[in-house]
Amino acid sequence: MEKTWWKESVVYQVYPRSFMDSNGDGIGDLKGILLKLDYLQELGVDVIWLSPVYKSPNDDNGYDISDYQSIMTEFGTMDDFNRLLSAVHERGMKIMMDLVVNHTSDEHPWFLASRSSVDDPKRDYYIWRPGKDGKEPNNWESVFKGSAWKYDEGTDEYYLHLFSQKQPDLNWENPQLREEIYSMMKWWLDKGVDGFRMDVINFLSKDQRYMDGNILDGKQHGDGSPYFLNGPRIHEFLQEVNQRVLSDYDVMTVGEMPGVSPDDAVLYTGEDRGELHMVFQFEHMDIGGGPEGKWNNEKWDLSDLKGILSKWQYRLEEVGWNSLYWNNHDQPRVVSRFGDDGEYRVESAKMLAACLHMLKGTPYIYQGEELGMTNIAFESIEEYRDIETMNSYEELVNTYGWPKEKMMAAIHARSRDNARTPMQWNDGRNAGFTTGTPWIGVNANYPEINAEKAYNDHQSIFHFYKKLIQLRKQHDIIVYGRFDLLCPDDEQIFAYTRTLGEEKVLVLCNFKGQEATLTIPTELHSLKATLLIGNYEQEESDTVSSEPLRPYECRVYLLK
Ligand code: NOJ
């Protein structure tokens, strides 16, 4: 397997709106990120992934772009961006941009032209269809609820929007549109950016028949995903992107891909395929989902989580590459979801970090994860800002009759706003995020959980992450070693090994608040062991300890 810098890197995701506000308007900005580069350098991350910073009316916080080549007013100017890019490079780090090309904003000039007339040269840049029997062209549901089609009076046709009504889908069947995207991508790469995280990139190719999807029991709309996920021309499109643009640069790519299987991922990330470096799969995030997706928030078993993650590890071994993540701007905080954000917050946040960073793949850290930031539980729906949360509340409570309490509990557990409350920098006003009024409420636990405090405490989650990153730089086995799962059915312990040549790494993680006993395979006991990292005090020894794992304990050994 080829050695590359992006396999050896750790990526840190910045959600600019919530990271650091430099001018007191309550919204994070580029100058704010610049102020915090020393912090990121201290943590030791290699690549910064910036969620969209382009001009946008912010229907979906920048994932609705109205100009790909200018900066969102609230975030600053192109000069600010250029300064940030140079400062990041001066520190030996890289910047990965978010590339949102499945859709634009409905305020993008292309869409304004497209909607103006059926004869406009840009009409075909988007997906327009006449209605069927006075209704939508088909029954597809939008990811953000309601129909995926919006009627436009001006030309008496509907346009497709798989996300919000203000996010019309681009028509990748149109070669001219593809050319426009490629020249925009080149423009950013020539400016010196180091890669792209590609938003819902496996949605690009739609089955041109636009057939109705199945309607699940009790639902109003159909599931169109079989007709747009990993669609008929997707590999052709991505190979074209690669040939026309990416292959001329040494950059990193990751495709966000809901509904992708490990077999699909082999096609998307195979080294001989010329498509992408890695994908963000969703299977481990979708655990506990039901007919209403994440809002059902059902119980999950550790064996299922291990089954999913190890399936991905095994399938991509030697033939592809994994991304590793627990968190991003769309997911609840991992310590609240898979750990314990009360009594064992620190222990469980560290255990989750070790469990993820020792897997094979490129790890991603989402801002605040390195502090063990937790979910938020705003009391009323009015305090939420996320369009998906608001639309889902409206539909499930007002149309489907869910009791408000049930929906609020689901929102507390799973809303995207859990990830979007401001970064907690210190114990000052608004957690040091802004001197103004923050665009979304700050988590009240900031006096306890904040970067300044974490930095000054050598036992903190921050320093644990820092050490994990350093270990990756010191031991090739952490990057390139083969993965093997131990005790797949154990409902308390996630244990696995990595193997490279004569070396092994043994990873033991207790996912529960009780002690756990594990039988370690005898052949591992006979090897000389060094504890690389752990989250409890541990007596010095040169063998693997057979003591039970304490609540949320993790131990990572190097064995020779
Ligand atoms: C995935 C992004 O991560 C999410 O935040 C966004 O709402 C959708 N794609 C639509 O762009």
Side-chain angles (χ1 to χ4, degrees):
M1 182 151 251
E2 204 194 330
K3 292 193 168 182
T4 63
W5 63 265
W6 46 266
K7 290 178 183 166
E8 296 169 11
S9 293
V10 175
V11 183
Y12 186 95
Q13 183 191 356
V14 168
Y15 192 66
R17 203 175 176 79
S18 304
F19 193 62
M20 179 65 201
D21 173 21
S22 73
N23 63 356
D25 66 356
I27 298 173
D29 47 42
L30 296 180
K31 282 190 178 140
I33 303 173
L34 192 63
L35 290 173
K36 297 298 181 185
L37 288 185
D38 289 346
Y39 170 84
L40 296 179
Q41 196 175 16
E42 174 69 28
L43 181 59
V45 295
D46 306 281
V47 180
I48 300 171
W49 152 25
L50 284 185
S51 274
V53 295
Y54 317 95
K55 194 156 183 241
S56 163
N58 281 306
D59 190 51
D60 186 20
N61 289 353
Y63 284 90
D64 49 321
I65 297 169
S66 55
D67 183 346
Y68 287 106
Q69 279 155 266
S70 56
I71 298 293
M72 190 191 297
T73 323
E74 296 90 320
F75 289 176
T77 62
M78 195 54 84
D79 280 345
D80 295 334
F81 180 86
N82 295 339
R83 266 192 292 275
L84 178 65
L85 184 62
S86 320
V88 167
H89 285 165
E90 274 161 27
R91 286 170 167 78
M93 298 188 284
K94 297 178 188 286
I95 283 198
M96 179 160 73
M97 300 296 278
D98 219 305
L99 183 80
V100 188
V101 291
N102 174 68
H103 45 267
T104 66
S105 163
D106 66 344
E107 296 180 32
H108 194 292
W110 295 343
F111 188 74
L112 298 179
S114 180
R115 101 186 309 171
S116 69
S117 140
V118 289
D119 302 320
D120 189 275
K122 296 216 166 30
R123 179 69 170 180
D124 192 43
Y125 275 25
Y126 294 84
I127 299 168
W128 293 95
R129 290 287 181 281
K132 230 167 67 188
D133 312 323
K135 291 208 309 230
E136 289 85 10
N138 70 23
N139 70 1
W140 295 1
E141 180 175 39
S142 143
V143 176
F144 290 166
K145 302 293 179 197
S147 168
W149 297 93
K150 168 116 172 114
Y151 179 65
D152 192 57
E153 268 179 10
T155 54
D156 188 27
E157 283 191 334
Y158 291 78
Y159 65 85
L160 180 73
H161 62 89
L162 291 177
F163 293 89
S164 94
Q165 295 185 354
K166 285 183 67 63
Q167 291 168 299
D169 279 56
L170 286 165
N171 178 20
W172 272 69
E173 299 292 319
N174 182 309
Q176 234 173 306
L177 178 266
R178 300 206 299 276
E179 287 307 318
E180 300 241 29
I181 303 275
Y182 303 155
S183 63
M184 175 274 286
M185 290 175 74
K186 284 188 190 157
W187 187 85
W188 281 101
L189 291 168
D190 289 338
K191 196 184 246 309
V193 306
D194 306 286
F196 291 114
R197 172 268 184 192
M198 304 183 180
D199 193 67
V200 289
I201 206 71
N202 63 331
F203 287 25
L204 293 189
S205 166
K206 277 82 175 173
D207 183 326
Q208 293 300 297
R209 294 169 297 170
Y210 286 96
M211 281 153 53
D212 278 345
N214 279 338
I215 304 184
L216 290 178
D217 269 0
K219 295 206 51 145
Q220 288 178 343
H221 299 284
D223 172 15
S225 65
Y227 306 107
F228 62 77
L229 285 186
N230 311 309
R233 297 182 69 189
I234 186 65
H235 294 290
E236 177 195 333
F237 291 157
L238 289 177
Q239 283 169 13
E240 190 178 272
V241 172
N242 198 302
Q243 281 153 19
R244 295 292 316 283
V245 184
L246 300 169
S247 56
D248 291 337
Y249 304 84
D250 179 20
V251 293
M252 165 173 181
T253 56
V254 51
E256 188 209 22
M257 299 202 181
V260 77
S261 72
D263 285 343
D264 297 323
V266 170
L267 299 178
Y268 286 120
T269 71
E271 270 171 11
D272 53 343
R273 300 262 315 162
E275 296 187 19
L276 301 173
H277 292 147
M278 60 195 114
V279 306
F280 286 139
Q281 58 90 11
F282 278 68
E283 279 192 79
H284 65 310
M285 290 287 109
D286 291 345
I287 203 162
E292 288 303 338
K294 64 184 180 184
W295 303 118
N296 294 101
N297 194 32
E298 280 158 12
K299 282 217 165 348
W300 55 278
D301 290 326
L302 182 63
S303 54
D304 294 335
L305 184 68
K306 293 193 293 187
I308 293 168
L309 289 172
S310 50
K311 178 179 72 178
W312 279 84
Q313 293 280 303
Y314 286 126
R315 184 65 184 96
L316 267 53
E317 178 68 40
E318 299 287 334
V319 293
W321 192 252
N322 272 294
S323 73
L324 307 171
Y325 75 97
W326 289 134
N327 267 135
N328 59 42
H329 63 292
D330 294 331
Q331 300 296 339
R333 293 284 177 181
V334 68
V335 70
S336 301
R337 185 166 183 204
F338 294 155
D340 171 355
D341 62 10
E343 185 181 356
Y344 293 114
R345 185 184 67 86
V346 173
E347 290 81 359
S348 65
K350 290 177 181 174
M351 180 280 290
L352 287 161
C355 183
L356 190 79
H357 282 238
M358 291 297 142
L359 290 171
K360 186 168 185 175
T362 301
Y364 289 72
I365 301 170
Y366 176 70
Q367 64 186 42
E369 181 183 333
E370 76 283 12
L371 306 176
M373 276 178 63
T374 66
N375 280 355
I376 188 81
F378 292 128
E379 268 174 40
S380 85
I381 188 68
E382 280 71 43
E383 289 169 272
Y384 284 86
R385 300 285 175 265
D386 167 32
I387 182 165
E388 184 201 32
T389 304
M390 297 186 298
N391 287 2
S392 300
Y393 182 94
E394 168 64 27
E395 180 161 305
L396 293 176
V397 173
N398 297 337
T399 310
Y400 290 116
W402 279 30
K404 281 188 183 156
E405 301 68 44
K406 174 178 169 183
M407 188 61 198
M408 287 311 287
I411 288 174
H412 292 163
R414 300 300 297 275
S415 167
R416 308 197 295 181
D417 279 342
N418 284 309
R420 300 177 181 185
T421 62
M423 178 74 177
Q424 294 165 204
W425 292 108
N426 56 44
D427 64 4
R429 195 166 155 252
N430 295 321
F433 164 70
T434 180
T435 55
T437 307
W439 70 275
I440 186 169
V442 177
N443 197 315
N445 61 20
Y446 72 87
E448 176 60 25
I449 304 171
N450 65 66
E452 196 176 280
K453 195 165 173 211
Y455 180 77
N456 292 326
D457 168 8
H458 281 270
Q459 301 302 321
S460 70
I461 303 165
F462 175 89
H463 287 286
F464 192 89
Y465 269 87
K466 185 173 164 182
K467 184 156 180 203
L468 284 172
I469 297 168
Q470 285 168 351
L471 285 171
R472 162 172 295 264
K473 309 282 174 233
Q474 292 157 2
H475 301 278
D476 256 10
I477 184 171
I478 297 177
V479 181
Y480 295 107
R482 189 192 72 232
F483 166 92
D484 285 289
L485 183 66
L486 301 175
C487 59
D489 301 322
D490 193 305
E491 289 297 353
Q492 190 162 355
I493 297 173
F494 193 160
Y496 58 88
T497 57
R498 304 284 306 280
T499 308
L500 188 69
E502 298 300 301
E503 278 186 348
K504 273 190 189 296
V505 165
L506 172 65
V507 183
L508 304 174
C509 297
N510 180 1
F511 268 68
K512 298 281 151 74
Q514 298 88 39
E515 278 198 354
T517 315
L518 165 86
T519 332
I520 295 151
T522 33
E523 70 270 20
L524 300 181
H525 263 309
S526 55
L527 297 170
K528 196 165 170 299
T530 317
L531 186 72
L532 290 180
I533 192 167
N535 59 352
Y536 278 81
E537 288 284 312
Q538 191 71 37
E539 267 178 37
E540 289 234 349
S541 158
D542 60 4
T543 54
V544 176
S545 160
S546 46
E547 290 294 309
L549 291 167
R550 288 160 278 190
Y552 293 102
E553 183 169 18
C554 64
R555 293 184 214 139
V556 178
Y557 294 97
L558 181 65
L559 306 175
K560 286 189 197 185

